[in-house]
Structures are given as structure tokens and as C-alpha cells.
Amino acid sequence: MKYGKSILLTAGTLLAQQAQADEPKQQATPERPNIIFILADDMGYGDLACYGNQYIQTPNIDRLAATGTSFTQAYAGSGISSPSRCSLMTGKNSGNTRIRDNQCYAGGMTGLKINPKGDTTIVRRANLLPEDVTLGTVMSKAGYRTCLVNKWHLDGYDPKAAPNHRGFDEFYGWTIATVHSNSPYYYPYYRFWGDSLIHIKENEHDAHVRHNTEISTDDAIAFIHRNKNNPFFLFLGYDAPHEPYNIDDTSWYDEHGEWSMNTKRYAALVTHMDYNIGRLLGTLDHLGLRENTIVIFASDNGAAVMAPLKELNCGAGLKGRKGQLYEGGIKVPLIVNQPGRIPARQIANIVYFPDFMPTLARLAGSTEAVPADTDGMDISPLFFGKDIDTDNRYLYWEFPGKQRAIRHGEWKCVTVKKGAPLELYHISEDPTESHNLAAERPQMVKELDKKMWQMRKPSPNYPIAEDKLSQ
């Protein structure tokens, strides 16, 4: 084990000592399991060894894939954080969600954004509203204790739109509304426990003692300990490997003298996250919860432009990157694992983030809590070795007025520039989107264009001229 820092007492542990314990609920079983959803941030489709990476060490995630089911055609909700997470949390595509871009064009609230270089700008953001049904809402109604750790990114600049106000029982992390709550990035001094902003004393005066991946894992482990006798839903949203690439321990890769420091730190952020996932899995084993728990791992979108795409093959040769609706921006790794129930296999079914609302509801026995207007489907049979048709449907993404994409079976239609013509790709034969077939199949492009307009609805936060044309 190369990461040798001691595990310190966490904010979640301290809070648990002060809070009155909940009455035990019906304990989880293999058939009605605990659910842990782990989401990486800006991790490329090709960053994991189990997805073909030859450079980055990810032994714990690789074991999840080797002993569980991994998907080779899984898609995020969008090409960037807020709309992708909104799609995941609400079960809607980015043409129907409350949040369709990191910033909105009207309404919402304005606030400060800290850029990677440390300077600030004023931007406008939308946030989830009280009437929005989230995964936290659905799982709570099923009798699960719910917790979101670390990154939410759906509060805009409304401090009352944090996870604990949008369906989750507990929240430990940072919010957009309190701009300094995750500053400095990866070694934060401030952190929320619910609505209380606390201090990480070890990181005072910009000290680099406790890395945020470590802090978040500690909070997640503390939540599991408190709820070992209750069914629970834990959403663990790591920051890694989002820029800026801040991690002091790069010992896994120091032997690569030809790598830049940026490349070493990027790889170390992924491996450090993997190490901490191993700690979390070890907790489940120690408490005897492994067979009663489904673990899901994914990334919120593709690798960022600052990622070492060429050096480490983060994008796995796919076209595009974070912020684009090409495959490199929205195709993500997806692994589901539950010993004794989920078989070891790799499958090519087409799935995406809106599917998790009906899927997790089915696993928890709370399908009646799912809104009727969800854009996803229940893909849980795929977890347990059954084959269902997920490909004969339409999947849709947009950045309002800028980019659009639709996937139907073997075909994908996309444009990543406002006013640019639609492109058409036969994805099963051309996964790198190298051969645009729009000119050869104009009728298919026309039909898919029409379908895209049918799969979205206007939003007051994202008014675009095309909305008037489509009504």
C-alpha cells in the first residue's frame, strides 16, 4: 500500500456521536439490498484498466468489474457536471431536466464561481426546486436511510437547495452556493454537515493534510457504520479526477520520469480514488454487508480538456471530450456489483443516466414513487443476468441552443456547434465517429432531427429561439 497517511476521525463520525440514533428499520437483504452509487468526476471512458487503460492503476474498481457486470455502451446524462447529475438524480434527459447546463440563460440566481486559477466570475445558475423528485426522495419513500457525500452541484446559488433539502436525510460535502466550501480544491478547510459549515482543522492555513477523496470516504464509511442495521442508499460523489489536479502523493507514478507533473497527478487522483474505494469495500466486508449491497460505479462525463488524453489514453480513442456531445464527452464506464447475485460479464446494452430513477426504485420496491414523466427505463434485469431490449428506443441530450444528440440503436445524430449541420454516425461500426454519413442518409437525419424536438420541452431557464419554431 503506497498511501500511508493515517485515517483521522471524520466529521461524520463526530456528528454521529452527537446525534440520537435512528430506530432500526427492516434490514437490507440480497433481494432488497443497500445501494451505494459511486460517481467519479470528469473521468474518461478509458481511464480504468478494466476498460483498457495500460497506465493507470485501478485494482479495486477492476475487481468490481471482474466480479460484476460492466457496460460498454453506457452514457452519462450530459457532457458536464450539473446537467449530467440532474439527469441522474431526476430520471430525465437534458431536454427535460430543471438544469440543462452548468449555467442558465434566465431566471435562477447569480453568484461567484471560482475558476481553476483561483480568480472569480459572476455567473447565473439554476437549481433543483422542492417539487423536483430525486433519487433521495424515491429511496427515502422506500424506507431507506439516504445520504449524499461530497459533490451535489444541483443547488445553484440557493443554500436551501442542498441535498438535505432535496430528498436526502444526510449530507456531508460542499455546495456551489457557498463558494469557499470546497476551497482550496482537494484540501478543503470548510465542509458542510447538513446546513452547518464546519472546519477541517488539519487543512487550516492551506495545509495539505487531508485530501478530499479521503475525507469523503471517511464520511461515507461513518454513514455505513451508523446504518449497518438499516437499509441505506449512499451516493458518494468524488471530485477526482476533476481539475485542478491537486494531490501531493504521486508515488504510484514517480518512476515515470517522462510524464509531466500534470499527467502524474491526474493518474494519482484516479488511483487514490481507487484506493479509497477499496477502503469502503473493506468496510462492507468487515460489517458483513457485502452480499446485501449493490455497488455501482460510473463517471459523470468524459475526460476534461486538461486531462492527459494522449499520454494516458483517457478518452479511449473516442471523438470529443468533456463539454461535448460526441462519444468522448458522454460515454462513460458503468459497473454494477453484488456478490452472489450479479454475474461476472460485460454487456453492450445501451443505457444512460435517466435509467437509474426507475431502476433503483425497482430494486428498493418503490416504483410508485417514480414520476410518470421519467425518460428512463428499468434496466435492473440486466444486473442479474437477464437480457432485455434497451436499444430500440431513443436517447437524447442537449446543451440548449448549442448542441444536440440522439442515439437510436446503431445510429447517432449529433451537432456540437450552434447552427452547424447535424452529423450522422453508425456507432456500432464507427464508435470513434470518424465517418459522417449525413449526406448519404438525409432522410434518416431528418427523422432523427424531428424526434429530437419531440423529446424535449421548453424551459424558462434556457429560452432559445428554436422553441418558438418547434411549437
Side-chain angles (χ1 to χ4, degrees):
M1 182 180 70
K2 293 186 177 181
Y3 195 81
K5 295 183 177 69
S6 62
I7 300 171
L8 304 174
L9 191 61
T10 69
T13 303
L14 291 172
L15 185 62
Q17 293 172 352
Q18 299 166 3
Q20 183 177 2
D22 292 330
E23 289 295 325
K25 303 173 184 177
Q26 183 180 359
Q27 195 166 14
T29 65
E31 294 73 29
R32 186 172 178 266
N34 303 311
I35 300 172
I36 299 177
F37 199 116
I38 304 172
L39 191 67
D41 196 347
D42 289 4
M43 194 188 76
Y45 181 79
D47 276 339
L48 303 173
C50 54
Y51 277 80
N53 195 282
Q54 298 179 6
Y55 307 99
I56 303 176
Q57 302 169 35
T58 52
N60 294 294
I61 300 172
D62 294 342
R63 276 193 290 272
L64 287 177
T67 59
T69 294
S70 57
F71 292 75
T72 61
Q73 294 200 86
Y75 290 95
S78 182
I80 54 176
S81 187
S82 288
S84 186
R85 291 161 193 268
C86 191
S87 178
L88 176 60
M89 280 290 160
T90 65
K92 298 180 181 180
N93 69 48
S94 52
N96 292 320
T97 49
R98 183 78 61 188
I99 301 171
R100 306 183 184 190
D101 203 336
N102 273 1
Q103 301 175 29
C104 63
Y105 312 155
M109 301 175 68
T110 58
L112 289 177
K113 177 184 178 181
I114 298 179
N115 298 312
K117 293 183 179 180
D119 54 329
T120 60
T121 55
I122 297 177
V123 300
R124 181 182 298 275
R125 297 182 186 265
N127 59 268
L128 286 184
L129 300 180
E131 59 266 32
D132 292 319
V133 176
T134 69
L135 287 177
T137 310
V138 171
M139 299 303 290
S140 292
K141 288 185 177 179
Y144 280 58
R145 184 72 179 175
T146 59
C147 178
L148 189 140
V149 173
N150 199 51
K151 185 169 181 178
W152 171 239
H153 227 249
L154 302 177
D155 57 295
Y157 291 108
D158 181 358
K160 291 300 181 183
N164 52 314
H165 296 279
R166 296 295 182 266
F168 286 87
D169 297 314
E170 300 181 35
F171 166 54
Y172 309 96
W174 59 278
T175 66
I176 299 171
T178 305
V179 69
H180 60 277
S181 63
N182 195 36
S183 181
Y185 211 73
Y186 286 119
Y187 293 95
Y189 175 57
Y190 298 96
R191 192 168 181 82
F192 276 102
W193 304 351
D195 290 331
S196 298
L197 191 61
I198 59 95
H199 295 159
I200 307 297
K201 290 291 186 179
E202 297 87 351
N203 290 341
E204 193 171 15
H205 305 305
D206 293 332
H208 285 195
V209 176
R210 298 190 65 205
H211 195 275
N212 199 38
T213 298
E214 180 183 313
I215 296 169
S216 299
T217 307
D218 288 350
D219 287 337
I221 288 173
F223 172 78
I224 293 171
H225 273 281
R226 294 196 301 274
N227 290 277
K228 60 181 180 291
N229 296 321
N230 301 328
F232 62 79
F233 171 54
L234 169 63
F235 188 93
L236 176 53
Y238 285 119
D239 290 329
H242 192 289
E243 60 187 40
Y245 305 135
N246 290 339
I247 184 168
D248 293 342
D249 184 0
T250 60
S251 57
W252 298 279
Y253 303 104
D254 287 344
E255 62 189 36
H256 293 280
E258 74 281 12
W259 289 9
S260 69
M261 204 62 215
N262 181 75
T263 298
K264 290 180 182 179
R265 286 174 178 154
Y266 182 91
L269 283 168
V270 176
T271 298
H272 180 229
M273 175 177 61
D274 179 87
Y275 166 77
N276 278 277
I277 289 172
R279 289 178 52 215
L280 184 143
L281 296 174
T283 299
L284 295 176
D285 289 333
H286 175 71
L287 296 176
L289 299 176
R290 195 65 187 88
E291 286 74 21
N292 291 355
T293 304
I294 284 183
V295 177
I296 302 170
F297 177 86
S299 178
D300 68 339
N301 47 248
V305 66
M306 286 183 64
L309 296 171
K310 293 183 179 179
E311 297 92 330
L312 301 184
N313 196 31
C314 303
L318 299 174
K319 186 176 183 177
R321 52 173 171 75
K322 173 187 176 179
Q324 296 180 326
L325 297 182
Y326 287 130
E327 296 288 279
I330 58 175
K331 190 176 182 181
V332 295
L334 173 63
I335 301 165
V336 294
N337 185 289
Q338 185 187 9
R341 295 206 73 214
I342 293 178
R345 63 175 186 158
Q346 187 179 80
I347 58 177
N349 294 74
I350 302 172
V351 299
Y352 75 147
F353 276 11
D355 294 334
F356 281 103
M357 172 71 80
T359 299
L360 300 193
R362 174 67 65 182
L363 294 173
S366 185
T367 55
E368 69 282 354
V370 177
D373 60 350
T374 181
D375 293 310
M377 66 177 291
D378 173 17
I379 61 171
S380 62
L382 294 174
F383 295 179
F384 306 114
K386 298 179 181 178
D387 291 321
I388 59 172
D389 182 10
T390 62
D391 299 356
N392 191 28
R393 58 175 176 151
Y394 296 90
L395 282 61
Y396 177 69
W397 303 264
E398 72 171 41
F399 288 111
K402 300 176 183 177
Q403 301 185 42
R404 295 185 293 151
I406 191 169
R407 177 81 193 262
H408 181 236
E410 300 178 340
W411 295 92
K412 180 181 175 185
C413 195
V414 59
T415 180
V416 300
K417 186 176 181 181
K418 183 177 181 180
L422 290 166
E423 303 165 22
L424 182 67
Y425 299 100
H426 192 276
I427 291 296
S428 61
E429 295 182 358
D430 180 23
T432 60
E433 296 169 298
S434 301
H435 306 290
N436 181 8
L437 302 176
E440 299 176 26
R441 293 178 175 265
Q443 185 60 33
M444 179 178 288
V445 172
K446 183 178 179 180
E447 292 171 358
L448 291 174
D449 184 19
K450 180 180 179 181
K451 188 64 179 179
M452 282 192 272
W453 286 109
Q454 294 172 348
M455 293 190 68
R456 71 178 306 276
K457 60 186 178 184
S459 165
N461 295 123
Y462 304 91
I464 60 174
E466 288 89 342
D467 282 334
K468 297 179 180 179
L469 298 177
S470 64
Q471 293 177 356

